[in-house]
Amino acid sequence: MKIIMLGAPGAGKGTQAKKIADKYQIPHISTGDIFRANIKEGTELGKKAKTFMDAGKLVPDELTIDLLMDRISRPDCANGYVLDGFPRTIPQAESLEAALEKRGEKIDYAINVEVPDENIIHRMSGRRACLNCGATYHVVHIPTKVEGICDRCGSELVLRDDDKPETVKKRLDVYHEQTQPLIEFYSQRGVLVNVDGTRDMEVVFADIVEILGA
Ligand SMILES: [Zn+2]
């Protein structure tokens, strides 16, 4: 079962990807994790990736695909995997498709977690973070015992710049421009599955399980 996750930043696709990985016993793969693992292990591909990252540049798509193909050829991916955060653009999706084709493989499901922008902006603006110990909360979903104070260390909580509406809006704009076209791309290939991501994450997951099979 080879799955990719689609959805806007903050739609909760990472959470669903983890739950899928747990239930179906397949690896949850993000390109960030692959970069870190290869750099840590000192592989040739990792060394190449590091030169770009050290220079503050994006790792080129071609190299990312090489790292990804290396990762999915490992034994733990024999029954499939969940890709989270890749591809993000049409050229990446096309390169991924071509690389998988060479292996005689293809993506089985592209799960699109749909959440309207306004909803995401609202969700994110409720997040609170402790800059002292790294704990994260949400004013509605994960409240602290004392409002505005970290349960763990007693420091004052802040709304991070990343979670501020103007920052979230910018990220959503990039998503709509670069990543949303993937919905049409995977729809044309007959593998797109839309799920309503506005509901409780367990309900969203139950929908996904129904589609993938128990
Ligand atoms: Zn704290």
Side-chain angles (χ1 to χ4, degrees), residues 129-135 137 149-157:
C130 174
L131 300 182
N132 182 46
C133 77
Y137 304 91
I149 301 296
C150 181
D151 284 349
R152 211 195 280 172
C153 73
S155 299
E156 214 165 300
L157 300 177

Side-chain angles (χ1 to χ4, degrees), residues 10-74:
K13 64 178 185 305
T15 306
Q16 296 300 333
K18 276 194 204 94
K19 293 174 79 67
I20 292 167
D22 281 350
K23 177 163 174 76
Y24 296 97
Q25 297 289 298
I26 52 177
H28 172 203
I29 298 175
S30 84
T31 47
D33 288 345
I34 298 178
F35 294 156
R36 279 187 288 276
N38 276 271
I39 289 168
K40 202 176 161 200
E41 291 163 20
T43 67
E44 282 310 309
L45 291 171
K47 281 177 197 163
K48 276 191 206 167
K50 192 171 186 298
T51 57
F52 290 98
M53 292 164 84
D54 285 349
K57 289 183 191 157
L58 286 175
V59 177
D61 287 352
E62 201 184 319
L63 179 53
T64 305
I65 294 279
D66 285 348
L67 283 157
L68 197 54
M69 290 305 118
D70 171 70
R71 177 67 188 85
I72 65 170
S73 55
R74 296 192 190 181

Side-chain angles (χ1 to χ4, degrees), residues 23 37 40 42 60 72 77 94 117 134 156 164 172 188 190 192 197:
K23 177 163 174 76
K40 202 176 161 200
I72 65 170
C77 290
E94 286 167 344
D117 284 8
E156 214 165 300
K164 285 180 179 161
L172 287 169
Q188 283 171 2
L192 181 74

